[in-house]
Amino acid sequence: MATVRLDQKSRALTRAIPESYHSALAKFFGSGPTDINLAREQHNAYCKALEDAGLEVHVLPEDENQPDCVFVEDQAVIIDGHVLLPVPGHPSRVNEQPPIADFLIEKMGGAQICRMSGDARMDGGDILRLGDIFFVGRSSRTNDGGIKELEDLLEHLNYELRIIDIPDGALHLTSIASTPTDEIILAPKGMLPEDAFGELPEGSQVCWMPIEETYGCNTIGLPGNKVLVAEGYPAVLNKLIELNLEPIILDVSQFRAGDGSLTCCSLFY
Ligand code: GLY
């Protein structure tokens, strides 16, 4: 998940994969999961990689009535101990939220919790943080009402928000971009305008990757210079090595089949 800085990543929430995952929404990267056992093996490896990097990982039980429930990133926006619970942008995903909200409220005692309401819609996957700057994707899942609620929270916290229009061929902002460190954005060249992220602070940069490696641009930066990266994206891998990072490569073919990427499967709290 992309709304915390590297130094704030010590605990991760994930959720197990139900048998019903074969019915997960899929129309961007994937055409639907085909192998639930493999999906579970890949998810176990993902949780282990987070643990090996020193994080405490909690796995919520799956819910057979919620085929997409493994993609917890969309269900909460956690910023500096504040939690925004969005109304998810797809109606079939609304009922995934209560156990995640209950868990966060219990574990983040004292956190300020805001609940989105009315016509506002947002998936957490539309938010990206680079240090003190936040980016939000205006997408098929996140509307102007949702963006306004995020903007109000960020104004209160004194952070800047920049809006990026997500092209029709992409699901979320984090489907096409990530911040493997607090200074680097990875994004596919040609998918977004070159000035999409605006002027960045000194020392920060956008690394534009080949458009064929769009999926690989979703990475998870972890403490100790480690970065989780999907298997099969050599240009992204080489860029991470060039940046003196330590890539941990994971096969996530069954996440991709359900339109999910690495960041989709965790919330850092
Ligand atoms: N399958 C992930 C999503 O569409 O929300």
Side-chain angles (χ1 to χ4, degrees), residues 41-257:
E41 272 172 34
Q42 292 176 350
H43 191 256
N44 289 342
Y46 173 86
C47 293
K48 182 168 183 313
L50 291 172
E51 278 172 355
D52 288 349
L55 279 79
E56 181 187 319
V57 177
H58 184 91
V59 187
L60 279 180
E62 69 274 31
D63 179 345
E64 284 302 337
N65 296 316
Q66 312 299 333
D68 281 287
C69 67
V70 63
F71 300 129
V72 293
E73 175 184 49
D74 294 319
Q75 299 294 334
V77 179
I78 302 170
I79 302 171
D80 296 358
H82 298 252
V83 182
L84 174 62
L85 295 171
V87 178
H90 195 288
S92 75
R93 301 204 51 201
V94 170
N95 290 332
E96 294 171 33
Q97 195 177 70
I100 294 170
D102 290 348
F103 178 88
L104 293 174
I105 290 166
E106 187 195 322
K107 294 290 177 186
M108 297 176 67
Q112 187 185 327
I113 312 285
C114 323
R115 287 182 191 269
M116 211 170 255
S117 57
D119 294 332
R121 296 286 179 275
M122 174 171 280
D123 280 3
D126 270 317
I127 303 163
L128 191 63
R129 177 177 190 164
L130 182 81
D132 290 346
I133 303 176
F134 285 76
F135 302 92
V136 61
R138 181 160 38 209
S139 70
S140 58
R141 300 286 176 87
T142 297
N143 65 14
D144 285 330
I147 292 172
K148 174 77 178 70
E149 296 210 19
L150 176 66
E151 199 168 37
D152 289 347
L153 173 62
L154 291 174
E155 205 171 275
H156 171 70
L157 297 172
N158 223 5
Y159 289 128
E160 182 185 350
L161 180 63
R162 300 181 185 176
I163 301 171
I164 296 179
D165 284 307
I166 302 304
D168 288 345
L171 174 55
H172 293 132
L173 177 57
T174 59
S175 310
I176 56 174
S178 69
T179 48
T181 74
D182 293 331
E183 291 86 30
I184 302 285
I185 298 174
L186 287 180
K189 192 170 173 58
M191 179 75 82
L192 294 170
E194 277 192 19
D195 60 356
F197 296 98
E199 197 174 327
L200 300 182
E202 205 181 320
S204 295
Q205 58 169 313
V206 182
C207 297
W208 294 105
M209 296 289 104
I211 198 158
E212 312 78 64
E213 297 204 13
T214 297
Y215 185 81
C217 289
N218 180 287
T219 63
I220 300 183
L222 294 170
N225 279 343
K226 294 183 169 52
V227 185
L228 303 191
V229 58
E231 185 178 70
Y233 303 93
V236 171
L237 184 62
N238 287 335
K239 176 55 75 178
L240 296 174
I241 293 168
E242 188 188 309
L243 290 165
N244 288 322
L245 298 171
E246 189 188 315
I248 298 159
I249 303 167
L250 293 174
D251 178 1
V252 288
S253 59
Q254 289 296 308
F255 298 1
R256 180 177 171 138

